[in-house]
Amino acid sequence: MPRIYVLREDALKELENRVLIGEGITRYLQPGPFEFAPGQLLEFPHEPAHDAPSLTMGDSRRERASTDFENALKIYEWLGPLTETEARDPRLWAWLAHAPFADYTRSRWPIPTDAKKTRESIRDHWFVYHEGRASLRRHSIARLWWAVHLTRTPWENDDALSPLRNEDPYTYTRLLLGNQEVFFHTLEREFGSNRRILIAMLEVIYRLRSRRKPTPLVKWLAKEVNLACRYRELDLLPIGELIEFMESLAALEVENSGGI
Amino acid sequence: MARSLRSISFPHPVVGVGDDVAGTLNCNAPELDFGVDNTTLSIDGLEVTDPTIAVLIQQREAAFTIRVTCGATYYRETFHTHDAQLQHVLPSAKLVGEVKLQVRVCTMRRIDDYRPAGLHPDYEGRSFTVQAGDVLAVGDDFTVHAVKQFDPLATDIPSIMRIVRGSHLKGPFKVNFFLDQIVIALSHEDHARYGLACHIAPGVIHASIVLPVLCEAIWLVQRGAKEDDMLAEAQWFRRLKDMLETRGIDESGSSLDAAQKLLDAPLTRAFADTLKGREED
């Protein structure tokens, strides 16, 4: 029976400290999963139906990023829905990055040669190292699970989003992971934690996809929406009005960039 | 609970920001009561001193809003009320670590010719158009750390157990000890009656469900967690151990005795609930 484990608290601390002081870095450069003694692990209560999925890896940076959506679905299907508290557990994500998905993590986030950057890269992509949302967004596996969790069939969690219901449960996951800038600019900012605002922004990017490239549009929208959230509770708007508001901001981006 | 104030620029005059509009938005510090499954957010004493805004709230054209943000779990939601207090229940799983609460008054619809009573004289003769959701008054920001701490003195058995509807239609209840709380899964048939039974005869629930499960849980604590399983770090395990120690209950004694002490004579209460009304006859 396949099992999922979490690292024990002391094993996690030891692993983090070794990276911090620059010890054991070479192990991160070698292929294969890290090996842990049984005493360093605890069994996670959820039992997966099958062994850990094999994740797709690409050679170039673009190819690697283009596999995110496909890999995210595999990870979510394997781990299943977790509570937010469970999905916040750094012990879980550390084990996943170091054991079943060590080769994937190395391939997706190649470790830089510069010593300082090496430590930062390992800390960012192999550990969930602090409480903020950025650490989940950067972790090699957590980011994939959370991307699906935040965007899969959002109309099932919030009746206000029912006008956006469609046959593809992953419409917004595809948009979120389809472009690294969209992923970064939405989930890096606080408004990305509000499901309604996040989905509305992705919907606007989707509606304008044939006329506007996602990268400059999401940069503009994220900046403007972030500003608007300071003087306005966008959460109070019906979804139609919220989308209209964001479309009006998008129109300003067109003007600002000299487009039509 | 830490309070903080932020300096923000607004496109229209706002109470609580500089001297654009005289007045304040006041409230008592919000409280978050962390339960096993749900957390209750309570805030009272909501009051805005500007009479124009107070009337807008009375007329439901504006509302007090509380924005709750937890960065650790990608959670942000805004609740609103037209009254001086607000209570809202949200899933505890959404709150981990630092939780920010921001108190504001916002409009519920577009208002043309908005001109608050306390507007600074520099704005003489001017009025403003505000959109739905625009902030009219800024109150304090609060920060709470969501550590779902357990008070062993409270001997709060519900904090270590929860009763849910299982996947089986009929038959005996099942227990999972390998989560942070002990999860008792009732059959669909039993769960349908559980809600009412819990209300009219809670002692019966304690005697028939909680007591046997607690006995087994205490036995597991007495046995000691094996090094290779989740029990050692399960929250309920440590909490129950604390409860037994705090109450001075001998861990090596009978688990049945210990469970009855922790539940405060469940059989006596079950009899009292069952015979309520009949003995008086």
Side-chain angles (χ1 to χ4, degrees):
Chain A
M1 178 68 76
R3 290 289 331 186
I4 296 173
Y5 293 92
V6 300
L7 286 179
R8 279 182 183 274
E9 196 71 44
D10 48 359
L12 175 62
K13 286 275 175 297
E14 190 187 333
L15 207 55
E16 283 176 335
N17 286 340
R18 282 171 63 82
V19 172
L20 202 65
I21 59 174
E23 274 184 15
I25 298 290
T26 50
R27 180 64 192 90
Y28 285 87
L29 301 168
Q30 294 160 357
F34 284 61
E35 286 182 5
F36 297 101
Q40 292 179 293
L41 301 173
L42 291 167
E43 286 189 355
F44 196 56
H46 299 262
E47 286 181 15
H50 52 79
D51 287 330
S54 171
L55 302 185
T56 310
M57 296 181 261
D59 291 330
S60 68
R61 192 175 170 181
R62 184 180 288 268
E63 277 176 27
R64 290 195 294 268
S66 70
T67 61
D68 281 354
F69 173 69
E70 178 192 338
N71 288 334
L73 296 195
K74 287 181 186 173
I75 289 290
Y76 194 84
E77 190 268 330
W78 183 60
L79 283 175
L82 308 171
T83 67
E84 283 85 354
T85 308
E86 288 171 327
R88 175 72 231 175
D89 192 334
R91 302 172 305 170
L92 169 68
W93 300 117
W95 179 76
L96 290 169
H98 286 80
F101 303 113
D103 283 333
Y104 167 78
T105 303
R106 262 181 218 105
S107 164
R108 177 68 181 87
W109 305 100
I111 295 165
T113 47
D114 174 82
K116 184 165 178 276
K117 285 184 182 166
T118 300
R119 282 200 297 274
E120 281 174 5
S121 174
I122 293 171
R123 189 195 62 181
D124 282 353
H125 304 305
W126 296 71
F127 296 94
V128 170
Y129 64 96
H130 68 60
E131 258 188 15
R133 59 189 164 271
S135 62
L136 288 175
R137 188 185 59 69
R138 289 173 186 153
H139 186 275
S140 65
I141 307 299
R143 64 192 289 277
L144 301 176
W145 186 92
W146 276 92
V148 179
H149 176 69
L150 293 172
T151 53
R152 180 177 173 272
T153 56
W155 46 85
E156 285 180 1
N157 303 314
D158 183 356
D159 288 342
L161 297 174
S162 57
L164 302 177
R165 179 181 293 274
N166 69 70
E167 287 177 359
D168 178 4
Y170 301 109
T171 302
Y172 300 109
T173 315
R174 215 181 292 278
L175 282 161
L176 185 64
L177 290 171
N179 180 299
Q180 297 299 298
E181 295 290 338
V182 172
F183 186 81
F184 174 81
H185 286 284
T186 51
L187 296 193
E188 183 75 2
R189 292 189 161 91
E190 192 184 290
F191 68 75
S193 296
N194 182 281
R195 199 75 59 98
R196 229 175 264 185
I197 298 174
L198 172 66
I199 296 299
M201 186 176 289
L202 294 173
E203 175 66 18
V204 170
I205 292 167
Y206 177 73
R207 289 183 185 185
L208 297 177
R209 67 194 183 286
S210 61
R211 282 172 284 163
R212 303 296 306 158
K213 287 186 177 167
T215 299
L217 179 58
V218 75
K219 281 184 182 173
W220 174 271
L221 274 180
K223 189 178 67 150
E224 292 297 316
V225 168
N226 200 40
L227 183 65
C229 285
R230 288 168 174 260
Y231 62 82
R232 197 171 183 191
E233 277 296 351
L234 297 180
D235 207 7
L236 298 178
L237 303 184
I239 189 66
E241 277 184 42
L242 181 54
I243 290 171
E244 271 176 34
F245 172 65
M246 290 200 195
E247 284 176 328
S248 71
L249 295 177
L252 291 175
E253 189 264 335
V254 175
E255 279 177 28
N256 192 54
S257 63
I260 298 167
Chain B
M1 166 122 10
R3 287 171 186 250
S4 62
L5 269 175
R6 294 188 305 174
S7 100
I8 312 165
S9 298
F10 289 85
H12 52 268
V14 169
V15 167
V17 177
D19 58 358
D20 280 357
V21 188
T24 51
L25 166 56
N26 308 313
C27 67
N28 295 321
E31 287 180 10
L32 284 170
D33 183 12
F34 295 105
V36 176
D37 294 322
N38 294 311
T39 292
T40 305
L41 161 69
S42 308
I43 182 166
D44 58 17
L46 288 162
E47 173 213 30
V48 63
T49 57
D50 181 85
T52 308
I53 299 174
V55 168
L56 288 173
I57 294 169
Q58 278 171 15
Q59 293 173 340
R60 298 184 169 254
E61 293 185 20
F64 296 107
T65 62
I66 319 296
R67 183 193 287 182
V68 182
T69 307
C70 180
T73 57
Y74 280 104
Y75 175 73
R76 190 177 111 175
E77 203 167 353
T78 302
F79 306 105
H80 70 271
T81 180
H82 302 282
D83 301 321
Q85 64 283 325
L86 175 141
Q87 193 169 73
H88 199 90
V89 176
L90 49 155
S92 294
K94 297 207 179 279
L95 305 176
V96 178
E98 190 176 275
V99 181
K100 276 199 303 183
L101 300 117
Q102 294 169 287
V103 181
R104 307 281 186 264
V105 173
C106 297
T107 53
M108 301 303 286
R109 64 169 190 84
R110 177 190 164 106
I111 301 172
D112 294 313
D113 300 324
Y114 170 66
R115 187 176 164 75
L119 198 60
H120 192 278
D122 284 355
Y123 290 106
E124 191 177 349
R126 279 204 63 186
S127 64
F128 301 84
T129 297
V130 288
Q131 307 295 331
D134 272 354
V135 174
L136 299 183
V138 174
D140 285 342
D141 292 354
F142 300 87
T143 304
V144 186
H145 206 74
V147 179
K148 288 143 196 174
Q149 282 179 343
F150 168 65
D151 175 12
L153 295 173
T155 57
D156 186 8
I157 295 299
S159 75
I160 63 165
M161 281 185 197
R162 65 186 154 125
I163 296 176
V164 301
R165 191 173 78 155
S167 54
H168 54 307
L169 298 177
K170 290 186 173 188
F173 62 78
K174 298 171 181 178
V175 186
N176 185 348
F177 290 98
F178 295 94
L179 302 172
D180 274 343
Q181 294 92 42
I182 299 166
V183 177
I184 302 167
L186 305 186
S187 69
H188 287 208
E189 188 183 53
D190 288 343
H191 192 265
R193 293 170 173 159
Y194 163 71
L196 184 60
C198 199
H199 183 65
I200 60 175
V204 172
I205 303 293
H206 283 176
S208 60
I209 303 177
V210 179
L211 178 65
V213 174
L214 188 58
C215 271
E216 192 163 354
I218 292 171
W219 179 80
L220 289 168
V221 170
Q222 287 169 334
R223 188 196 63 169
K226 284 191 295 182
E227 282 303 298
D228 61 348
D229 65 25
M230 282 294 269
L231 287 181
E233 291 190 12
Q235 285 182 22
W236 73 260
F237 188 93
R238 297 197 298 266
R239 290 173 180 182
L240 182 55
K241 215 168 158 38
D242 287 345
M243 272 191 225
L244 292 166
E245 284 173 11
T246 309
R247 292 283 295 262
I249 297 170
D250 182 7
E251 276 188 43
S252 61
S254 152
S255 61
L256 187 57
D257 284 348
Q260 289 184 80
K261 282 180 191 166
L262 281 179
L263 284 174
D264 193 17
L267 183 64
T268 308
R269 288 186 295 110
F271 279 153
D273 285 347
T274 311
L275 300 174
K276 201 185 303 172
R278 294 188 183 183
E279 286 183 328
E280 288 160 15
D281 292 340

